[in-house]
Amino acid sequence: MWRFDAGRICLDLVATESAGGVPGTCEQLDEPGHLAQWLYDARLVPPGTVLDALDDTWVVRFHELRSDIYRLMAAQLGGPPADGALERVNSLASGAPPGPRAVRGADGDLVRALSAAPDCAGLLAVVARDAVDLLTDPVARAALRRCQGEACHRLYLDTSRGGRRRWCSGEVCGNRERVARHRRRASGTADAYGPGEPGAWGPAKEIPPGVE
């Protein structure tokens, strides 16, 4: 359902909104079960962590943080000022994130666990702190980009050599753009040469010089 390739977990959260992800996607954190799965997949909580307290209130609060982070990042890219968003993100970042601990797994190897059952405020603090780190790091902030794919405004960090990456993902939006470009070329060829398959010559068409 979601991707974790934006370069920061706060940007990955932004991408779960229908307006912040790949074209055609819908709201991805629409109910507690999906939010729980996102928290697991994002590695904010270890697999198997019990999240009994997770309810619709958590979903609303993560939506609110997501909106504030998006507004702050959009402002960095020339968008309107994010009035109030910075104060709210700073407030959430001041909370105590869940403490990690190492425990023995079933096979005897050490695995990560949490020192106590995570609450909503603690997990929000993890994402909010990541947003603060990005916004206050000049290098990371300068690498913030918006995807140039058609209808995609996913935010990501461009860590490519030369900083010339255009798409949130070469395999997703980059490939989609290459396919669209190929179709435009094929369509242009068909229009120039008449009905039929692109590049086909009708009997009434004279082959231009130099075409084999």
Side-chain angles (χ1 to χ4, degrees):
M1 289 183 61
W2 33 71
R3 292 157 43 195
F4 297 96
D5 56 0
R8 300 297 285 258
I9 192 62
C10 63
L11 300 182
D12 289 327
L13 175 64
V14 169
T16 62
E17 186 179 13
S18 57
V22 176
T25 59
C26 58
E27 169 63 59
Q28 297 177 44
L29 304 181
D30 55 350
E31 50 96 6
H34 287 160
L35 175 57
Q37 191 60 52
W38 186 85
L39 293 170
Y40 292 131
D41 292 348
R43 302 179 64 83
L44 293 184
V45 295
T49 303
V50 177
L51 296 172
D52 285 337
L54 198 160
D55 58 13
D56 289 332
T57 302
W58 287 42
V59 176
V60 172
R61 295 187 69 188
F62 268 88
H63 284 186
E64 292 171 346
L65 174 59
R66 181 180 65 185
S67 176
D68 284 336
I69 291 174
Y70 174 76
R71 292 178 60 208
L72 287 169
M73 300 304 167
Q76 291 295 316
L77 295 174
D83 297 333
L86 185 59
E87 289 74 15
R88 289 188 292 271
V89 170
N90 280 335
S91 178
L92 291 174
S94 67
R101 57 195 298 258
V103 299
R104 296 288 178 186
D107 58 1
D109 290 337
L110 290 172
V111 296
R112 185 171 70 97
L114 298 179
S115 56
D119 60 7
C120 186
L123 294 175
L124 289 169
V126 176
V127 183
R129 288 184 179 198
D130 184 62
V132 170
D133 286 343
L134 192 163
L135 291 167
T136 57
D137 180 343
V139 175
R141 193 171 60 231
L144 182 64
R145 301 283 188 274
R146 188 187 297 279
C147 183
Q148 296 181 35
E150 184 177 356
C152 179
H153 22 242
R154 186 182 172 99
L155 302 176
Y156 64 94
L157 294 187
D158 179 5
T159 57
S160 65
R161 181 177 299 178
R164 298 180 178 178
R165 180 175 153 195
R166 296 177 52 202
W167 303 298
C168 61
S169 169
E171 291 73 25
V172 181
C173 284
N175 186 62
R176 184 180 289 110
E177 176 63 23
R178 287 187 286 272
V179 170
R181 188 184 306 142
H182 173 76
R183 288 176 176 170
R184 286 194 297 268
R185 288 173 178 168
S187 176
T189 303
D191 290 343
Y193 297 156
E197 295 295 325
W201 296 97
K205 295 290 184 179
E206 181 180 354
I207 300 177
V211 177
E212 296 296 333

